[in-house]
């Protein structure tokens, strides 16, 4: 049996191809990724949906709202006066990302809304388009929520892109805040689960694709949001130029040391500027045995309690740490 000798140039191309494929695969697994969520509300919230079941339904019915979300007749109560808008991650959709937290928030008495953005109707892997474009979609959606509910402000809860670069862009450039009159902000709180606030090295794969000039190639497959979230991207540098925060907004970051997608994980943390507050939380500082990583943090009961506490700090409850393992094993 003969063996063909792989020439150096061929070997270089093979390494580049495998690195690119690995980056896309890691992003798809770790960043659970021009449509907006269906107008009809989701089925009754019922029990908490498991992540595998949510993934299956989110793949087969990618425009379906998660349980408990998108009841356009919902009216906020005095106890919870602001609707909660859930923003999904890259290469996923609202149903896949939020089928645990959405019904939990609904049962707690919140009006819950969950748009799909950055992807065409019928496509399960959304949140892939240029982040400023997705931010404009979210801006229109928030305006619609405010009008439908009669509320003055919303609270945003997001995962990965949806908790970091996208809402920060919306707050700064697309009308989410009013720097001259912070009391007129459309957003009061931003809570990010494993947010890509200051970009990612993607466990080294992003560093490699950036160094090799391959981010445009990868983005042709995974979407422009891939390049936007790399360390040093134009989106990152534009946002960071004038500080991390906006006046009048309360920020909470919930990160995990086991994050393999937004790396290093401390890139997720924010620094408070004038008129803003920031609380940076490392999940393992609260629950040392919690092994949730980037994907599973959206289905982690400990992280969910931290979200509830951040939404209503006056009635925060102690987190009863439950053991959580990564969805993908390890």
């Amino acid at each position: 049996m003969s063996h063909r000798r792989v020439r150096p140039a061929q070997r270089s191309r093979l390494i580049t191809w495998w690195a690119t494929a690995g980056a896309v695969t890691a992003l798809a697994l770790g960043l659970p990724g021009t449509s907006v969520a269906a107008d009809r509300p989701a089925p009754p919230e019922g029990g908490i949906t498991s992540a595998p079941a949510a993934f299956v339904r989110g793949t087969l019915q990618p425009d379906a709202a998660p349980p408990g979300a998108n009841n356009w007749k919902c009216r906020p109560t005095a106890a919870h006066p602001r609707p909660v808008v859930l923003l999904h991650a890259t290469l996923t959709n609202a149903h896949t990302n939020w089928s645990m937290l959405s019904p939990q928030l609904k049962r707690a008495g919140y009006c819950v809304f969950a748009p799909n953005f950055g992807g065409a109707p019928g496509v399960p892997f959304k949140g892939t388009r240029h982040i400023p474009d997705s931010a404009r979609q979210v801006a229109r959606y928030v305006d619609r929520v405010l009008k439908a509910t009669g509320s003055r402000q919303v609270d945003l809860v997001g995962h990965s892109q949806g908790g970091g670069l996208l809402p920060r862009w919306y707050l700064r450039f697309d009308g989410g805040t009013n720097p001259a009159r912070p009391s007129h902000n459309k957003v009061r709180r931003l809570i990010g689960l494993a947010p890509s606030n200051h970009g990612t090295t993607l466990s080294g794969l992003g560093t490699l694709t950036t160094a090799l000039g391959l981010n445009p190639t990868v983005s042709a497959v995974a979407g422009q949001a891939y390049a936007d979230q790399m360390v040093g991207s134009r989106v990152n540098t534009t946002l960071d130029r004038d500080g991390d925060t906006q006046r009048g907004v309360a920020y909470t970051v919930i990160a995990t040391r086991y994050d393999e997608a937004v790396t290093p994980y401390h890139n997720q943390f924010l620094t408070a500027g004038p008129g803003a507050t920031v609380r940076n939380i490392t999940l393992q500082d609260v629950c040392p045995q919690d092994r949730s990583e980037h994907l599973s943090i959206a289905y982690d009961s400990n992280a969910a309690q931290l979200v509830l506490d951040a939404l209503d700090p006056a009635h925060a409850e102690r987190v009863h740490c439950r053991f959580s393992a990564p969805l993908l094993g390890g």
Side-chain angles (χ1 to χ4, degrees), residues 17-34:
W17 187 89
W18 280 110
T20 303
V24 175
T25 302
L27 188 67
L29 293 175
L31 292 177
T34 315

Side-chain angles (χ1 to χ4, degrees), residues 164-178:
L165 291 178
L166 185 151
R168 286 180 60 212
W169 191 279
Y170 160 59
L171 292 176
R172 179 160 297 174
F173 298 116
D174 289 309
T177 57
N178 185 332

Side-chain angles (χ1 to χ4, degrees), residues 257-272:
R257 289 194 179 98
Y258 297 105
D259 201 312
E260 76 287 15
V262 180
T263 56
Y265 77 89
H266 51 73
N267 273 15
Q268 300 170 27
F269 295 145
L270 297 171
T271 299

Side-chain angles (χ1 to χ4, degrees), residues 188-206:
R188 177 67 186 98
R189 302 184 186 279
L190 169 56
I191 301 163
L193 289 167
S196 55
N197 277 317
H198 296 297
T200 176
T201 67
L202 199 57
S203 295
L205 289 170

